[in-house]
Amino acid sequence: MRRAAGLLLQKAATAARECATGRAGAADGLAVQQRHASAAAGGARKGGGPVRRPTEQMHRGRGGAAFEAAPIVLTAEELAARERTNYLLGAGLIVMSAYGYYIVSRPRGGDGVPTPSPEHLVNWSGTHECQVQRFYQPETLEQLEATVKQAHTTGRKLRCVGSGLSPNGLAFSEDGMVSLGLMDKVLDIDTASGQVRVQAGARVQAVADELRGHGLTLQNYASIREQTVGGFIQVSAHGTGAAIPPVDEQVVALKLVTPALGTLELSKDQDPELFQLAKVGLGCLGVVAEVTLQCVPAHRLLERTTVNTAREVRKAHAQRLRDNKHLRYMWIPSTDAVVVVTCNEVAEGQEPAVPASKYSEEQQLAPLRTLLRSRLSAEQAAEVNGLSATQCRDRLLALGPLDAAWVKRVNQAEAEHWRRCEGTRVGWSDELLGFDCGGQQWVLETAFPAGTIEAPDGRDLAYMDELLRLVASHNVPAPAPIEQRWTAGSSASMSPAAGAPGSLHSWVGVIMYLAELEPEQRQAVTKSFQQYAELVERQLMPKYGAVAHWAKIEVPSDPAQLAAMQQRLASRYPVAAFNAARRRLDPHNILGSPMMDALLPHTAAPAEAVAA
């Protein structure tokens, strides 16, 4: 069921953002908006990540998208009878079932606390799930304030969740959760200042679409753009660009709903110290209700993709960091191939030449498709023609995900695929800066200082050399790519890239895929990935002063490893100041969770104080 639901999510789930939410007619009913998407839904991303929201033009036919909506009402018993998995994506709760997917809206009263419901939630990667007892979906600031106040008064947990995209299930809490998926409006666009104010539940791509019409865009984008803006900043999401900081640096002001002090307005002029903590507050200091972001003029980029050897990368690396606005390396283990992707701004009025590729799309995909056909029956091989590169990789890896020799062959085919994809393209920044991350996956991404953009210290490439040697010496079945990106420093105290404006930080992500795997295979791959991640955590992270991306950190089960992780975090971040702010804003720790309390141990108010 999970695989089928995931496939449906790939093709259609973001159409949910377009749904009008219905209302139940009966006290025991659930108002449900059902949507069916055509198999050829336009804008679907290859390989299994969330897809871009269809625009109004797409509804009129652009890109082949065709969506039809018809409100229906199901009783709670009828809905419960359908086998289902719940995904969080953008506009409230998506209930996946064999019958389609539904946006569920339950009766709520005025500006009071929305009626909660128990839900079974699964994150996008399929790596974490949660049976939450109380799931709230406020539609207004007043409802959100009432929900947080009630939780504070009763001492009941309440974690805020965005799109559920964090691979580690950072926002999950079995006791209680609140989603801002229905608080997703773009509130104001000020073209004079170049700033946009949005509700925290607005999706990044929806904001980008609105900004385009005003000649603006965000300074940078992460690999995918289905995050809510609140989640986007709270975990210090980042794109790539040696002179561009993580997205939290774009934050000009915050509206934070706190348990103890109510709603606070924060900026560099209003409680600046708390503002710098709250920008990457991990959902622990309050629920971010509104965000004001500094934008930049909308612009197009020229993207260039080449495949280099490791030696060629080392030779040109320092110059590449300085010369390119955006730079990404994709190292392919067990090969001497590094995919180098650069993006640079196209001046207004210019139309750069974009030579046609030497290879057709079919020829580009041939290395992967040919290898896959060699392992399939004639009947199964006929289905390969419609698969993208990442879909081919998922299916290839499923044939032997822990067979290091087989994974090496898959990587070699992928390297050849990228050689045939060398070339250039031009597009808007929000279109080109995304990256096809593939299907469900385990991932560990680390960040560490690497000098300055003018004087990189070489630790970024030294880290990669050691990582690739570890993969080879331990015979790790490491699939491609190992992605490496860079950012400038962030002023947010809890950002993994916290540092001076001119500082340089490298981000490196290792991965293992779960798509197309049977349950037994998923368990085996999970165990193997834990061993892979442990190699990185023990042999690389301490040496390079690296910390994990907040959305990709996992709590170790071994007490000694957990203690080492806590020490590493405490040496990198102002944990004492952060926890002091938690005690002031959330004295009963209702916004905490087992994960956050394990990573950043926090003493809440005594139980008797909560009861009082």
Side-chain angles (χ1 to χ4, degrees):
M1 177 61 199
R2 179 177 292 165
R3 185 186 304 173
L7 180 60
L8 183 57
L9 183 68
Q10 294 165 20
K11 291 185 176 297
T14 52
R17 175 64 177 77
E18 302 291 319
C19 292
T21 53
R23 289 291 178 268
D28 65 343
L30 299 174
V32 179
Q33 185 85 7
Q34 182 180 21
R35 300 188 73 126
H36 299 282
S38 68
R45 299 183 68 194
K46 298 178 180 179
V51 299
R52 180 174 176 178
R53 174 174 63 86
T55 63
E56 181 181 357
Q57 290 78 10
M58 285 180 177
H59 278 275
R60 294 202 296 264
R62 193 180 90 181
F67 294 97
E68 296 178 358
I72 62 174
V73 174
L74 301 178
T75 66
E77 291 75 16
E78 289 172 332
L79 188 61
R82 303 183 183 215
E83 182 181 16
R84 74 194 196 201
T85 300
N86 298 341
Y87 288 83
L88 293 158
L89 193 63
L93 183 68
I94 296 178
V95 178
M96 310 296 299
S97 82
Y99 299 90
Y101 65 95
Y102 307 85
I103 303 301
V104 180
S105 174
R106 290 174 173 78
R108 42 179 68 83
D111 291 332
V113 179
T115 303
S117 62
E119 302 293 351
H120 181 208
L121 307 177
V122 180
N123 71 334
W124 178 82
S125 292
T127 52
H128 291 269
E129 51 189 287
C130 174
Q131 188 69 46
V132 60
Q133 298 176 23
R134 295 169 293 107
F135 185 82
Y136 298 89
Q137 295 184 86
E139 293 184 81
T140 65
L141 176 62
E142 292 75 18
Q143 287 183 354
L144 174 61
E145 290 171 330
T147 302
V148 174
K149 181 177 180 180
Q150 181 190 71
H152 175 62
T153 301
T154 60
R156 304 175 78 176
K157 292 286 189 180
L158 188 72
R159 280 292 283 172
C160 186
V161 65
S163 298
L165 291 171
S166 296
N168 61 358
L170 180 71
F172 283 2
S173 172
E174 292 185 351
D175 294 333
M177 294 170 63
V178 58
S179 166
L180 301 193
L182 298 178
M183 293 177 62
D184 62 348
K185 297 180 180 63
V186 175
L187 299 171
D188 180 63
I189 297 176
D190 185 339
T191 55
S193 65
Q195 295 178 1
V196 60
R197 183 167 60 92
V198 304
Q199 291 182 311
R203 289 181 311 108
V204 172
Q205 186 61 61
V207 174
D209 290 344
E210 290 286 339
L211 289 173
R212 181 81 62 78
H214 297 267
L216 296 170
T217 192
L218 298 183
Q219 184 184 35
N220 210 350
Y221 293 90
S223 297
I224 53 179
R225 295 176 297 281
E226 295 304 325
Q227 306 102 322
T228 62
V229 170
F232 193 51
I233 66 167
Q234 284 291 280
V235 299
S236 193
H238 64 99
T240 190
I244 304 173
V247 298
D248 47 84
E249 195 67 13
Q250 301 172 43
V251 178
V252 175
L254 290 175
K255 183 171 285 186
L256 191 70
V257 180
T258 71
L261 302 183
T263 300
L264 304 179
E265 302 271 359
L266 301 176
S267 69
K268 65 180 181 179
D269 298 319
Q270 293 177 280
D271 203 338
E273 184 177 348
L274 180 57
F275 175 59
Q276 297 302 348
L277 285 171
K279 284 196 296 184
V280 183
L282 308 171
C284 293
L285 301 182
V287 178
V288 176
E290 293 180 11
V291 183
T292 301
L293 297 165
Q294 183 64 55
C295 305
V296 299
H299 56 275
R300 294 186 303 156
L301 295 172
L302 173 66
E303 178 190 88
R304 187 180 305 277
T305 300
T306 59
V307 179
N308 287 194
T309 65
R311 182 178 180 180
E312 290 169 335
V313 165
R314 284 191 289 271
K315 183 178 180 180
H317 178 58
Q319 194 66 41
R320 275 203 182 103
L321 284 172
R322 288 190 290 269
D323 289 351
N324 294 284
K325 184 172 185 178
H326 305 278
L327 173 66
R328 181 173 76 245
Y329 293 162
M330 292 183 286
W331 300 79
I332 302 184
S334 305
T335 74
D336 190 20
V338 186
V339 183
V340 178
V341 183
T342 62
C343 284
N344 290 289
E345 196 165 330
V346 175
E348 190 172 353
Q350 285 189 353
E351 289 297 333
V354 180
S357 173
K358 294 185 293 185
Y359 298 94
S360 66
E361 182 179 6
E362 183 177 346
Q363 291 171 327
Q364 290 171 346
L365 291 165
L368 291 162
R369 288 178 174 177
T370 299
L371 182 60
L372 182 56
R373 289 191 190 99
S374 71
R375 295 287 298 269
L376 301 177
S377 66
E379 182 178 349
Q380 293 172 321
E383 302 175 2
V384 172
N385 289 338
L387 299 181
S388 69
T390 51
Q391 289 169 332
C392 284
R393 180 179 62 205
D394 285 343
R395 295 199 182 187
L396 283 164
L397 291 172
L399 297 173
L402 300 182
D403 181 342
W406 172 247
V407 173
K408 181 177 180 178
R409 287 187 64 188
V410 177
N411 288 348
Q412 289 169 341
E414 182 161 350
E416 180 56 30
H417 160 70
W418 279 109
R419 291 186 183 97
R420 298 182 182 199
C421 289
E422 289 185 318
T424 59
R425 60 176 182 156
V426 174
W428 293 101
S429 62
D430 64 291
E431 296 173 341
L432 293 193
L433 292 177
F435 172 66
D436 184 355
C437 297
Q440 292 184 336
Q441 57 198 239
W442 282 106
V443 58
L444 169 65
E445 185 177 29
T446 60
F448 54 94
T452 68
I453 188 171
E454 294 301 327
D457 60 18
R459 286 158 43 86
D460 47 3
L461 296 191
Y463 183 103
M464 284 307 310
D465 287 342
E466 289 199 50
L467 174 56
L468 292 170
R469 284 199 297 270
L470 282 175
V471 167
S473 63
H474 288 79
N475 204 31
V476 178
I482 297 176
E483 187 180 14
Q484 186 171 31
R485 294 176 285 177
W486 292 264
T487 68
S490 168
S491 62
S493 311
M494 297 297 288
S495 169
S503 60
L504 179 66
H505 301 258
S506 184
W507 303 69
V508 177
V510 298
I511 195 167
M512 281 190 178
Y513 299 96
L514 297 169
E516 302 290 336
L517 301 186
E518 298 300 329
E520 297 79 8
Q521 288 179 303
R522 292 175 72 97
Q523 292 176 7
V525 169
T526 295
K527 182 177 180 180
S528 179
F529 181 78
Q530 290 170 344
Q531 295 168 346
Y532 187 9
E534 188 176 328
L535 279 176
V536 174
E537 290 167 353
R538 287 188 171 182
Q539 301 198 36
L540 293 180
M541 292 178 69
K543 179 177 180 179
Y544 288 88
V547 290
H549 189 308
W550 285 114
K552 298 165 187 176
I553 191 172
E554 298 285 347
V555 177
S557 57
D558 179 76
Q561 292 181 38
L562 175 58
M565 181 175 287
Q566 291 171 341
Q567 184 177 7
R568 188 159 57 242
L569 295 174
S571 66
R572 181 66 174 270
Y573 300 114
V575 172
F578 186 75
N579 281 339
R582 292 173 73 183
R583 285 188 290 272
R584 179 163 67 95
L585 303 177
D586 181 21
H588 305 327
N589 195 29
I590 67 163
L591 300 176
S593 67
M595 170 176 280
M596 293 313 307
D597 293 342
L599 296 174
L600 306 173
H602 168 55
T603 304
E608 56 268 22
V610 176

